[in-house]
Amino acid sequence: MRIGIPRALFYYQYFPLWKTLFEALGYEVVLSQPTNKEILRQGIELCVDDACLPIKIFHGHVANLIGKVDMIYIPRIVSVEPREYICPKFLGLPDMIKNSVSKIPYIVDAEFNMYKGRYYILYHLLNLCKILNINPSRMLLAYGKAMYAQRQFEKLLVKKSAVPLDIFDQKQEKQSQPYIKEDNNIKVLLLGHNYNIYDDYISMGLIRKLRKHKIDFITCEMVEKNEIQEGNKKLSKDLFWTLGKKTIGTAYYFLERKQVDGVIHIASFGCGPDSLVGELIEKRIKREFKIPFLNLNIDEHAGEAGFNTRLEAFLDVLEGMKYFEDNISTYG
Amino acid sequence: MQCCLGIDVGSVSTNLVLLDDKKRLVKKLYLSTAGNPIKAIKKGLGILQQEFKDLDIFAVGTTGSGRHLASILVGADIVKNEITAHAAAALEYYPQAQTILEIGGQDSKIIVIRNKTVVDFAMNTVCAAGTGSFLDRQAQRLGIPIDKFGEIALKSKNPTRIAGRCAVFAESDMIHKQQMGHATEDILRGLCEALVRNFLSNVAKGKEIRPLILFQGGVAANTGIRKAFEEQLQCKIHVPENHDVMGAVGAAILAFNHVVSRQKTTNFLGMDVAFQNYKVKSIECNGCPNACEIIQLFSDEKLMARWGDRCGKWSSIIAV
C-alpha cells in the first residue's frame, strides 16, 4: 500500500514522525513534488477563494498525489500543544480537501488533538488502527520508532541550526556545502510559519538568498521550547494559537538578549494571526530595540523583483548599520 | 573626459547620468521607458555618445526595476536596489538628511536615515495609488499638461476632499466631484492632499519623520504634492535640483566608490552598445513543472545572456 503525504504545511514539522510511523507499519510513503508553478496553479484553482496561500498550495499538493497513491494522510489537527489550539484551517483541512478536490483517493483523516494532554496522541493512534485495520500493539511499536526519529530531527534543528530541507533531502545535503557559521556574520531573526519559510517556492528562495549573502539566521524551529515560553512571558496574556505564540516568543526572547542585528517577518497574505503578530513585534522593536525590521507579505505573485528589491535593501541597511556600529565602538 | 555612468531603468522613465571624477553632475537624461527598456538605454547611450566625443567611462552602476537587464546590456560594475541608490545620492548632496520621500512612476518609498546610515525603509505594497503614472493619467483625463498640474492645483483656495486610499476609488471620487461642479483646481488640490495623506498613513506608517526631509523622484516636480507634504508635516521639504534622476546619480556614486576603492577596471562594454542590434526571445522551459519563462538576449545573432530560471539550468550557460 502506498500512502501519500502532501509536501506542505506540517510536513515541515512532522515529516520524520509520519514517515517512520508509516514505514514501520509496512506502507510505502510517497511525497508530492516540491512546490512548483503547476502545484500552485492547481491549488489556486481548487481551493476556496479566501484561504491563505499555504492552504491553497496544500490543495495543489493533494492534487499532485492523485493517481500515485492508494490513500492520503491528512490528519485533522486540532491541537499540537496542551491547552492551546491551532489555526482552524488545519482543523477543517480534511473536509476542505474532500469538498474541493475531486477523484481523490481515500483520505486518512484521524483526529490529532493534544489539547487535554500529550498522551492524547494515543487516541490518534487508535483511530489510525481502526481506519487502517492494524493491531494496536504493532502501532505502538511503530510509534516508538517514529517518536525517536522525530526527537532526533528536532534536536538537529535546535543544536545544528539546520533547516528541515537539509535534513529531509539527503541527496541535496551532499551536494551543498555544509553551512559554517562565523561569529562576524550578520545575524537575523527569521520569523514566520515553518511551512512558509522552508518552502523554497513560497518564500522565493529566501533561505538560499540569505545563505548566499552569508547572513546567519535563527528561525522559530531553532529555539528551545523553554526559551519560547520565556519570551512569551513578556506578553500580558498568551496569544491564542500555537504558531503565533511560537513566533512572538522567539522574537521577544532574542530581542531581549540583543542577539540579533535585524528581524525579517514573513507573513502570508490573508493570515489573521500573522498580521497581528507582525504588528506587535514591529511596534516593540520601534519602541525599545531600534533594529531594522522587514515585513514581507507573500501571496500568489510570481514576480520576484519586488521581493528582491526589499530584501536587498534590507541587507544593505543591516550592513550599513553594522559597519557604522563597528566604527563608533572603537571610540567607546 | 573621465566620467562614471549611472542608469536607472524605472517603470516609466529611464534615466542616465554622467558624473565627472569629482562626482559632479555633467549630464542628465530623462527618457521615457515606453515599455521597452532596451531601446531606452540604447537611445540614452546614443545621445551621450553624440554629445561627448571623448567620453572615457570608468565606472557604471545600474538601479531601478530593470537594473539586471541594464547591467547585462552595458556591463555594470554594480547593480543596486533603488532604496540604497536613492539614499546614496541624497547623502552626497545633503549629508544632514534624515528622511527621504520618493515617489516614482509606479512606486513610492520612504527612507529613514540617522547619522548618515539608512536605518529603516518602506515601500508601497500591492497598491500603486498616488504614484506618478496615476497622476499622469488623471492629468490626461482632465486635459492638462502634467507639468502644469502643481501650478494649477496651487491656485485653489478651497480643495475638495477626495478618497486617496485606492486609485480606482480616487478616480471615481474625482469624477463625482467634477460632475457636482467643483472647479478643476479644487479637485487637483484635493487629489494632491489625498495622495499625501495616503502616503503618510500607508507607506510612512509608524516611521519617525525628522528634518531634513528630501523629496525625490519624478513626482517631486509637482509643486502641489510638495505643498501638501509641507502642510501635513508642518515642515520644510527640500527638493534636490536633480530630484528626477537621483536614482541614477546614486547608482553612479555607488559605482564610483566601488571601482575607486577597489582599484578595479570597469566592466563597461563600451558606447557601441547603442549601435548594436539587440533582440530578446523568450522561451518556456519544460524541464520541470515550474515552467520558468527564460529570456534570452541576443546581440545580432550572438547569445549574450539568459535569465528567468529558478534552477540556473539556463542562466549558467552563457555563450559569451
Side-chain angles (χ1 to χ4, degrees):
Chain A
M1 290 288 264
R2 292 164 305 169
I3 191 161
I5 295 179
R7 205 189 282 252
L9 296 179
F10 271 176
Y11 154 80
Y12 294 97
Q13 192 159 329
Y14 290 124
F15 180 60
L17 178 82
W18 295 344
K19 182 178 186 253
T20 323
L21 183 75
F22 288 114
E23 281 182 351
L25 293 171
Y27 286 89
E28 185 193 338
V29 174
V30 179
L31 274 171
S32 54
Q33 285 176 310
T35 313
N36 57 44
K37 209 191 222 169
E38 181 54 24
I39 286 177
L40 176 66
R41 191 192 63 75
Q42 277 182 315
I44 293 168
E45 204 175 286
L46 293 169
C47 186
V48 292
D49 211 29
D50 51 357
C52 60
L53 181 68
I55 294 284
K56 286 181 180 167
I57 285 187
F58 188 87
H59 281 64
H61 280 280
V62 172
N64 189 260
L65 283 169
I66 294 175
K68 296 177 191 163
V69 293
D70 305 305
M71 54 179 84
I72 302 179
Y73 178 59
I74 308 176
R76 184 184 303 282
I77 302 175
V78 180
S79 163
V80 294
E81 292 284 331
R83 318 305 296 176
E84 281 175 18
Y85 281 117
I86 198 144
C87 170
K89 281 177 188 138
F90 283 89
L91 205 156
L93 201 55
D95 301 323
M96 283 176 93
I97 295 290
K98 282 181 203 166
N99 249 311
S100 318
V101 190
S102 52
K103 291 181 191 150
I104 34 169
Y106 185 72
I107 302 284
V108 181
D109 62 350
E111 187 175 298
F112 191 99
N113 186 350
M114 303 210 274
Y115 186 79
K116 290 181 182 160
R118 261 172 227 290
Y119 56 89
Y120 270 69
I121 182 80
L122 288 175
Y123 281 88
H124 178 67
L125 299 176
L126 282 175
N127 244 325
L128 279 180
C129 288
K130 242 185 255 168
I131 295 171
L132 304 173
N133 202 7
I134 287 169
N135 186 329
S137 60
R138 228 182 115 208
M139 177 61 86
L140 274 181
L141 215 67
Y143 179 67
K145 273 189 200 165
M147 211 46 217
Y148 177 76
Q150 180 69 16
R151 285 272 147 75
Q152 292 299 316
F153 163 66
E154 281 169 14
K155 256 188 220 160
L156 275 176
L157 293 184
V158 176
K159 297 265 155 59
K160 301 268 186 223
S161 301
V163 300
L165 288 179
D166 300 343
I167 303 165
F168 296 165
D169 209 353
Q170 291 296 333
K171 254 192 278 166
Q172 203 179 29
E173 196 185 24
K174 267 174 210 157
Q175 282 169 1
S176 64
Q177 294 274 323
Y179 187 67
I180 303 157
K181 291 202 167 191
E182 286 163 37
D183 289 344
N184 212 16
N185 282 0
I186 291 171
K187 205 187 261 177
V188 297
L189 203 53
L190 184 52
L191 301 172
H193 302 317
N194 45 28
Y195 47 78
N196 285 336
I197 291 177
Y198 300 133
D199 188 323
D200 192 71
Y201 192 88
I202 301 187
S203 70
M204 300 200 169
L206 181 60
I207 289 192
R208 262 187 297 126
K209 284 172 191 167
L210 287 176
R211 284 183 170 172
K212 202 178 104 199
H213 282 98
K214 287 196 185 308
I215 307 280
D216 286 349
F217 53 87
I218 303 166
T219 64
C220 305
E221 281 68 40
M222 300 177 187
V223 186
E224 303 268 9
K225 273 189 184 150
N226 58 333
E227 293 173 338
I228 292 178
Q229 259 162 19
E230 209 180 314
N232 265 316
K233 281 186 193 144
K234 289 279 152 194
L235 280 174
S236 57
K237 188 172 170 243
D238 265 0
L239 273 184
F240 201 56
W241 289 329
T242 307
L243 293 178
K245 218 169 144 178
K246 204 162 133 186
T247 311
I248 214 153
T250 310
Y252 283 7
Y253 181 84
F254 282 98
L255 287 173
E256 286 287 316
R257 278 159 190 74
K258 298 196 173 21
Q259 284 173 349
V260 287
D261 301 307
V263 180
I264 300 177
H265 181 236
I266 303 286
S268 40
F269 185 73
C271 176
D274 269 0
S275 59
L276 178 79
V277 166
E279 198 72 23
L280 269 172
I281 297 170
E282 182 170 13
K283 282 200 171 144
R284 185 123 195 272
I285 289 176
K286 289 267 155 66
R287 233 179 10 243
E288 287 175 45
F289 302 104
K290 315 271 182 215
I291 59 171
F293 175 84
L294 178 72
N295 194 23
L296 286 170
N297 254 310
I298 45 169
D299 54 14
E300 293 145 27
H301 219 285
E304 268 187 61
F307 187 92
N308 286 346
T309 298
R310 285 165 179 82
L311 183 66
E312 281 169 25
F314 184 72
L315 298 182
D316 279 346
V317 169
L318 287 176
E319 225 163 75
M321 283 181 76
K322 195 161 177 104
Y323 175 71
F324 180 72
E325 268 172 26
D326 290 350
N327 253 354
I328 51 166
S329 65
T330 47
Y331 300 98
Chain B
M1 186 172 52
Q2 283 235 323
C3 276
C4 73
L5 175 67
I7 304 176
D8 179 356
V9 185
S11 55
V12 173
S13 72
T14 295
N15 311 328
L16 287 88
V17 297
L18 285 178
L19 303 185
D20 67 7
D21 51 2
K22 302 261 177 341
K23 294 187 198 171
R24 285 174 306 212
L25 190 81
V26 179
K27 175 77 188 168
K28 68 168 181 180
L29 287 176
Y30 185 93
L31 307 166
S32 165
T33 307
N36 193 341
I38 295 180
K39 208 169 141 193
I41 295 166
K42 276 171 65 178
K43 186 178 162 197
L45 289 177
I47 296 172
L48 293 180
Q49 169 83 314
Q50 270 193 345
E51 197 164 324
F52 303 93
K53 294 285 180 228
D54 57 338
L55 211 49
D56 176 18
I57 305 277
F58 66 92
V60 183
T62 61
T63 185
S65 44
R67 58 183 180 276
H68 295 291
L69 175 62
S71 96
I72 290 165
L73 210 60
V74 301
D77 300 303
I78 196 161
V79 186
K80 266 289 166 201
N81 59 80
E82 302 92 292
I83 292 157
T84 310
H86 271 282
L91 286 169
E92 187 71 28
Y93 300 106
Y94 295 85
Q96 301 85 28
Q98 297 210 82
T99 311
I100 302 170
L101 314 169
E102 199 268 340
I103 305 185
Q106 294 217 325
D107 63 0
S108 49
K109 36 192 163 303
I110 180 168
I111 306 170
V112 180
I113 298 174
R114 299 287 181 262
N115 296 316
K116 297 187 191 176
T117 315
V118 179
V119 294
D120 199 0
F121 68 88
M123 279 173 89
N124 58 340
T125 47
V126 270
C127 174
T131 53
S133 27
F134 175 64
L135 288 173
D136 232 3
R137 222 192 95 63
Q138 294 314 317
Q140 231 172 50
R141 204 175 57 78
L142 294 169
I144 39 175
I146 186 73
D147 43 334
K148 293 276 181 307
F149 191 113
E151 201 181 304
I152 295 170
L154 286 182
K155 281 187 199 148
S156 160
K157 294 275 178 301
N158 185 26
T160 58
R161 196 170 167 91
I162 283 170
R165 186 158 288 272
C166 162
V168 179
F169 293 158
E171 181 166 337
S172 55
D173 219 16
M174 280 171 73
I175 293 173
H176 172 69
K177 291 279 149 86
Q178 128 209 335
Q179 308 298 56
M180 295 273 287
H182 287 276
T184 306
E185 63 257 30
D186 290 345
I187 296 175
L188 289 183
R189 183 90 183 255
L191 183 63
C192 292
E193 286 179 358
L195 297 185
V196 167
R197 212 164 42 232
N198 181 44
F199 180 90
L200 292 178
S201 59
N202 270 337
V203 182
K205 181 186 67 179
K207 305 268 182 275
E208 201 187 354
I209 299 179
R210 282 198 211 160
L212 202 133
I213 305 170
L214 293 179
F215 185 16
Q216 302 184 166
V219 176
N222 188 322
T223 44
I225 299 266
R226 196 189 307 170
K227 184 83 183 147
F229 266 122
E230 285 185 341
E231 275 169 7
Q232 288 186 35
L233 292 172
Q234 306 216 319
C235 186
K236 190 169 163 37
I237 307 278
H238 295 260
V239 176
E241 195 191 335
N242 301 308
H243 62 86
D244 51 344
V245 294
M246 284 301 259
V249 171
I253 289 170
L254 289 169
F256 183 103
N257 294 344
H258 179 83
V259 168
V260 169
S261 69
R262 287 176 179 72
Q263 297 186 334
K264 279 191 166 178
T265 49
T266 181
N267 299 328
F268 187 49
L269 298 174
M271 290 310 240
D272 297 342
V273 170
F275 309 106
Q276 302 265 1
N277 202 1
Y278 290 103
K279 245 194 260 158
V280 270
K281 258 191 217 158
S282 60
I283 50 166
E284 199 177 76
C285 168
N286 38 28
C288 80
N290 272 333
C292 296
E293 287 155 13
I294 317 296
I295 298 140
Q296 311 185 86
L297 178 72
F298 292 94
S299 158
D300 292 319
E301 288 307 308
K302 208 178 102 208
L303 183 67
M304 297 264 296
R306 280 177 175 146
W307 63 93
D309 49 344
R310 295 178 81 97
C311 65
K313 174 175 150 189
W314 298 89
S315 50
S316 53
I317 20 170
I318 298 173
V320 185

